[in-house]
Amino acid sequence: GADAGADAGADAGADTSGWGGGGRGNTRGNCSTVPGAVGADARQSHRDAKELAARRDEDRRRLRRDAELLTQFRDGDCVKVPVPGSATGATQTVRAKMEPVVVLDEERYGPAPVAIARPVIRVKSPHVRGGEMVFTRIDPKNVDTSMIVHVRPGWNDLYAYLTGEASQAHAPNAIRGATKENPATRRLRPKCKAFVCTMSERQYAHEMWRLLDPRGALLPLNDVHALHKRVVCVEHGRGEKKSLAHATRGATHVPELSVIVDDRTNVWERRAQKNILAIAPFMPYNTDTGPGLQGEVAGKGGVMGMVQSMLNEVRFKFSQQWTRWAQRCDRGDPLRPGGERPDAGEILAPLMASWAEDNTATIVRQGGAARAAAGAGSSLNAVLKSLGRSKSNAEEAQRRRDAEAKAKAEEEERAKAEERAREEEKQKRWLAEAQAKLKEEERARAEEAKVRAEEQRRLLE
């Protein structure tokens, strides 16, 4: 899942606060949800000025509270958080634990990988149920690199699904960190090969993914050189677009097998658009301009839960189509109409279109459809446009498949016609050769009869 894990799962709104966030500048201050994205807030078009003002006040309160916690972590490697379940407002002090990390930073440590220890605190989020907050420090010797990371609710469930863990109880998460592997537990295979493609600075991206994948089940955290091949940093300043070929270092059959999970689609090249599972951005501090935290819950009802459901459906349909395609290959007719190799992007596009249609129906059911439809920039219009684009893309893909199938059928017919012509030509040559052989034999017999007649004549004489 390209950027959504490390980028959208981290502190997406910290760039507007002036602290944390990885130093990418104000690239998300006006970030809006991709039309038709999974987890988009259907009520966004009905917010009035009073609700927006209340949201801004709540954002500022949340930001001030987190700034205080970050200051405590920076100054004392500890934070004071409420005691879970306490009705009196009691607080407890949580101290940082030193976590070993293997890094490759020529500027700070030289050309060889080195092991360092970073102070890390993992606590439950006070802002949203099921969320988590992690405090870390990129450079342990520089307190100014301290940062706070918000982990999206539902990530642990999605992580357990991607890694193939039997249950969430046995899966490591951002709060518990890496757990010791039980020798009796069978080794599980991940459901995907994960890559990260981000516009963040490399050390920041590596640390964000380490916090999300503490055991290294999806990416090789202890092999820095291998990790560099799986975490690709794109230079945003040069206007470079993300691509599947770049993100996967040129792996084979990438477009047919890939699903991109991202909250931004305009940073990807055109050819990769059909592979994007667009989700709403996670913005704890910009709920007035973003989708807010209402849909941010763990489980199937949250954004990450819906992502898991859609990924599971794509894998199931891909497996079905692959089985049918393999059977056609075994029979020797993979080129007949309808026998194309399955493509994850072609499966995902109609699913996203269906999601956009359902989201549109939700907006209409909540009332104010006429008002929503009247505004050129309304959520309804945005979703309808996305739905139109998705349907148009699906129709174009279907036309392309039909044209390819027709071309393959015509090519197959031409091949059969050429084969028939070759067989006919072969038959003609064989017949001509047989006739010539018969004539030669007849001439030989006639010559032999003539010789015998001449011999008899000489004997009679």
Side-chain angles (χ1 to χ4, degrees):
D3 205 0
D7 246 338
D11 181 6
D15 46 49
T16 61
S17 68
W19 52 276
R24 288 182 298 158
N26 190 9
T27 60
R28 296 216 184 190
N30 297 320
C31 179
S32 59
T33 306
V34 175
V38 171
D41 185 9
R43 294 169 292 185
Q44 190 170 356
S45 60
H46 308 292
R47 295 174 183 165
D48 54 18
K50 184 177 180 180
E51 182 181 357
L52 290 178
R55 281 175 173 267
R56 292 190 181 99
D57 290 340
E58 178 63 22
D59 289 344
R60 284 191 287 267
R61 185 196 65 78
R62 189 180 298 115
L63 185 60
R64 284 194 296 268
R65 172 58 179 161
D66 288 352
E68 293 174 359
L69 293 176
L70 185 62
T71 301
Q72 295 173 14
F73 175 71
R74 182 194 62 190
D75 296 339
D77 287 346
C78 63
V79 294
K80 291 184 178 181
V81 295
V83 177
S86 175
T88 61
T91 61
Q92 61 179 348
T93 300
V94 181
R95 300 194 177 278
K97 295 182 179 179
M98 304 305 291
E99 297 187 359
V101 185
V102 180
V103 299
L104 179 61
D105 190 343
E106 295 185 7
E107 191 174 324
R108 289 191 181 98
Y109 307 109
V114 296
I116 63 174
R118 285 177 177 153
V120 177
I121 298 178
R122 306 169 188 267
V123 295
K124 293 183 178 180
S125 173
H127 309 311
V128 56
R129 179 175 298 179
E132 297 156 4
M133 284 198 314
V134 183
F135 298 84
T136 185
R137 187 173 299 144
I138 298 295
D139 184 358
K141 298 180 180 179
N142 184 1
V143 295
D144 292 332
T145 62
S146 302
M147 62 178 61
I148 180 174
V149 180
H150 291 272
V151 180
R152 195 168 201 161
W155 164 250
N156 294 329
D157 295 331
L158 180 60
Y159 177 70
Y161 168 77
L162 294 176
T163 57
E165 295 287 348
S167 66
Q168 172 61 21
H170 299 98
N173 61 38
I175 289 183
R176 291 192 296 270
T179 58
K180 294 183 179 179
E181 187 175 357
N182 185 358
T185 305
R186 63 186 180 90
R187 185 175 180 84
L188 300 174
R189 290 173 54 186
K191 285 184 168 60
C192 69
K193 185 174 183 179
F195 294 86
V196 176
C197 188
T198 178
M199 292 182 176
S200 302
E201 188 267 337
R202 182 172 296 279
Q203 292 298 328
Y204 169 80
H206 284 192
E207 178 64 4
M208 294 304 102
W209 187 259
R210 187 188 72 85
L211 298 177
L212 294 173
D213 181 16
R215 188 164 54 86
L218 296 176
L219 292 184
L221 298 180
N222 293 327
D223 188 345
V224 180
H225 296 288
L227 183 63
H228 274 224
K229 296 180 181 179
R230 301 279 288 277
V231 178
V232 178
C233 297
V234 179
E235 295 186 18
H236 180 63
R238 296 178 5 187
E240 184 181 359
K241 290 279 188 179
K242 297 180 182 179
S243 67
L244 283 170
H246 190 192
T248 59
R249 303 290 189 180
T252 57
H253 303 304
V254 162
E256 297 91 341
L257 298 172
S258 297
V259 173
I260 303 168
V261 182
D262 205 336
D263 60 357
R264 300 177 67 188
T265 59
N266 60 343
V267 297
W268 288 90
E269 64 176 3
R270 183 179 181 84
R271 289 181 296 178
Q273 293 296 316
K274 66 177 182 178
N275 298 83
I276 300 177
L277 199 170
I279 63 173
F282 182 46
M283 304 174 69
Y285 306 116
N286 296 86
T287 58
D288 57 334
T289 59
L293 300 177
Q294 286 79 2
E296 300 295 348
V297 295
K300 295 182 179 180
V303 177
M304 295 287 96
M306 288 183 281
V307 169
Q308 177 178 335
S309 299
M310 197 166 290
L311 288 175
N312 199 43
E313 188 168 359
V314 171
R315 293 182 77 250
F316 176 72
K317 291 186 176 182
F318 187 93
S319 178
Q320 285 185 322
Q321 294 183 16
W322 183 272
T323 300
R324 290 194 295 267
W325 180 75
Q327 291 173 350
R328 293 190 185 101
C329 291
D330 292 339
R331 292 195 300 266
D333 59 347
L335 298 181
R336 71 180 180 84
E340 298 84 2
R341 187 167 60 186
D343 189 330
E346 302 295 346
I347 299 173
L348 181 62
L351 292 179
M352 294 300 297
S354 176
W355 169 262
E357 188 173 6
D358 293 342
N359 199 19
T360 303
T362 302
I363 296 175
V364 175
R365 284 198 304 270
Q366 288 182 348
R371 183 183 67 175
S378 67
S379 293
L380 180 60
N381 271 345
V383 173
L384 288 175
K385 288 178 182 178
S386 173
L387 177 58
R389 286 194 299 270
S390 299
K391 287 185 176 179
S392 177
N393 292 338
E395 292 171 357
E396 178 64 26
Q398 185 61 41
R399 286 194 296 269
R400 187 172 64 252
R401 287 195 297 269
D402 292 342
E404 291 175 355
K406 183 178 179 181
K408 289 179 180 179
E410 292 176 352
E411 182 66 24
E412 187 177 11
E413 188 61 32
R414 282 195 298 270
K416 290 180 179 179
E418 292 175 358
E419 184 66 22
R420 286 194 298 268
R422 285 194 295 269
E423 288 294 331
E424 292 175 359
E425 183 66 24
K426 184 178 179 180
Q427 291 288 342
K428 289 180 180 179
R429 288 197 304 270
W430 179 84
L431 183 59
E433 291 174 356
Q435 291 175 349
K437 186 176 180 180
L438 287 174
K439 289 180 180 180
E440 184 66 27
E441 290 177 352
E442 288 176 358
R443 284 196 299 269
R445 284 195 297 269
E447 186 68 25
E448 186 178 355
K450 183 179 178 181
V451 171
R452 285 199 300 269
E454 182 65 23
E455 183 67 24
Q456 290 176 359
R457 186 181 65 80
R458 287 197 301 271
L459 289 173
L460 288 174
E461 289 177 353

